[in-house]
Amino acid sequence: MYGFLALCMFGFAYWLNKKLQGKRHGLIALLVGFAGSMLLYQSPASMEIATWSDNHFLGTLASNFGGWIGEPLPTGTVWSVLCIGGFVMTLVDLRYDHTYNPWAIAALIITPVAAKGSGSGVVTGFIDWLHSGGAWVVAWAVGGAVGS
């Protein structure tokens, strides 16, 4: 259910970003995307996407790159870099410039998946903690609204 609702929120955020006009329109679309990101984190789909990617794409890419540079590259490290990058991109968009909202909304899709697949670093642990708390709040609010 949460995966479907996350998809709906991302679509709504994309639509809001295209249709709303004014000074704060980007912030509204980004907040809807943020709620979608929390729902995606709550969904088992985020772990399924991370596992599928490890087995079919990211694992091969990391293995090949690790062979090329002569040292192993764990997929948890790649997921950690993606997690931190998506989080930073979202923060920069919230703080400074809402004109590249589609990139920030894409980061909001990647970050919860990356948080599930990332290693156990301090920064990724903090991002994971934020997503856990935010996911609980958004799931509670949305669950009450749609009657789950």
Side-chain angles (χ1 to χ4, degrees):
M1 171 183 77
Y2 292 126
F4 171 74
L5 292 173
L7 187 63
C8 291
M9 291 287 228
F10 289 130
F12 187 50
Y14 179 78
W15 181 80
L16 284 172
N17 194 52
K18 293 286 184 192
K19 295 294 180 185
L20 291 180
Q21 301 295 322
K23 189 174 184 177
R24 303 263 185 227
H25 82 278
L27 184 61
I28 293 168
L30 196 62
L31 290 175
V32 171
F34 186 74
S37 183
M38 297 298 113
L39 290 172
L40 181 59
Y41 182 85
Q42 185 75 11
S43 168
S46 58
M47 194 63 202
E48 288 293 323
I49 294 167
T51 303
W52 180 88
S53 180
D54 280 348
N55 294 335
H56 293 92
F57 174 70
L58 194 62
T60 304
L61 185 67
S63 176
N64 289 341
F65 186 76
W68 182 63
I69 62 173
E71 64 181 359
L73 179 61
T75 56
T77 303
V78 177
W79 281 122
S80 294
V81 168
L82 290 172
C83 180
I84 293 168
F87 187 71
V88 168
M89 180 181 282
T90 304
L91 289 179
V92 167
D93 189 50
L94 277 171
R95 175 65 176 103
Y96 294 108
D97 186 9
H98 307 304
T99 58
Y100 54 92
N101 259 358
W103 288 102
I105 292 170
L108 286 170
I109 295 170
I110 293 169
T111 303
V113 174
K116 292 281 181 141
S118 67
S120 58
V122 173
V123 176
T124 54
F126 175 71
I127 295 168
D128 189 58
W129 175 78
L130 282 176
H131 274 82
S132 295
W136 183 84
V137 170
V138 173
W140 172 79
V142 170
V146 297
S148 60

